[in-house]
Amino acid sequence: MKDSDISIVIMLHRLNHHMYNRHNEILSEHDITVQQSRVLKYILSDSKKQFVNQKDIENAMNLKGSSVSSLIKTMIDKGLIVKSQNPLDGRYYNLTVTEKGKEIDKIAFNIFKEFNVNLINGINENVLNHFKDFFSESFFFFFCNDY
C-alpha cells in the first residue's frame, strides 16, 4: 500500500466524521440524533418483519446490546417509540414508532435529503461519477475479499 492510498482512507474517515457531526448538529434542532433517526427508519421501513425488537436493531445496525438499550430508552423517553411485550414470545419486547416518531422520521428524512443535495452541490458531474465508481469498486473489493 502506498502512502497516497493511506491518505485516501484518512480523508474518507475525516469526511465521514465531519458529515456525521454536522448531520447530528442539524438534527439536534429537532431533538434527535443520526442513530435515533436510523432506528426509526429501520422500524418503519427497512425491516420486513412483523415485529421488531432490540436484538433485530443490534444485528441490523451492528451495535452492542448496551448501546441499543440506551438508545431505545432515550427514544421511549422522548416519545418516539413504545415498547410492548411480544404476544408470541413473552421474552421479547416489540418496538413500535409513535405518531410523534413518524413525524420526526419525515423531518429527519427531509433533512437527510437536503444534506446530501448540499454535499454534492457545485461538484463537477465528472468528479461525482469518478467518486461513485471509486466507492462501487471499493465496496465490491471489501465485501468480496477476506479483508
Side-chain angles (χ1 to χ4, degrees), residues 23-33 36 40 78 80 100 103-112 114:
H23 200 183
N24 266 325
E25 183 182 316
I26 294 167
L27 287 172
S28 72
E29 296 171 16
H30 301 279
D31 196 29
I32 191 170
T33 66
Q36 292 167 359
L40 288 175
K78 289 181 178 184
L80 302 174
K100 178 181 178 182
E103 291 172 24
I104 292 292
D105 175 66
K106 287 178 186 172
I107 291 168
F109 184 70
N110 287 331
I111 289 170
F112 178 75
E114 183 179 341

Side-chain angles (χ1 to χ4, degrees), residues 4-26:
S4 62
D5 296 336
I6 294 171
S7 69
I8 289 171
V9 172
I10 291 169
M11 287 188 311
L12 288 173
H13 177 74
R14 286 180 180 162
L15 176 62
N16 180 57
H17 184 73
H18 178 73
M19 287 172 39
Y20 188 83
N21 287 341
R22 180 66 182 126
H23 200 183
N24 266 325
E25 183 182 316
I26 294 167

Side-chain angles (χ1 to χ4, degrees), residues 34-74:
V34 170
Q35 286 289 61
Q36 292 167 359
S37 69
R38 289 181 63 212
V39 169
L40 288 175
K41 187 58 70 189
Y42 177 77
I43 295 171
L44 287 170
S45 63
D46 290 348
S47 173
K48 303 299 180 214
K49 295 173 60 175
Q50 182 179 2
F51 302 115
V52 175
N53 61 44
Q54 178 175 331
K55 197 68 166 165
D56 296 325
I57 293 170
E58 290 171 22
N59 293 333
M61 297 176 68
N62 197 27
L63 296 171
K64 293 180 181 176
S66 58
S67 297
V68 175
S69 289
S70 175
L71 192 57
I72 289 170
K73 182 182 179 333
T74 300

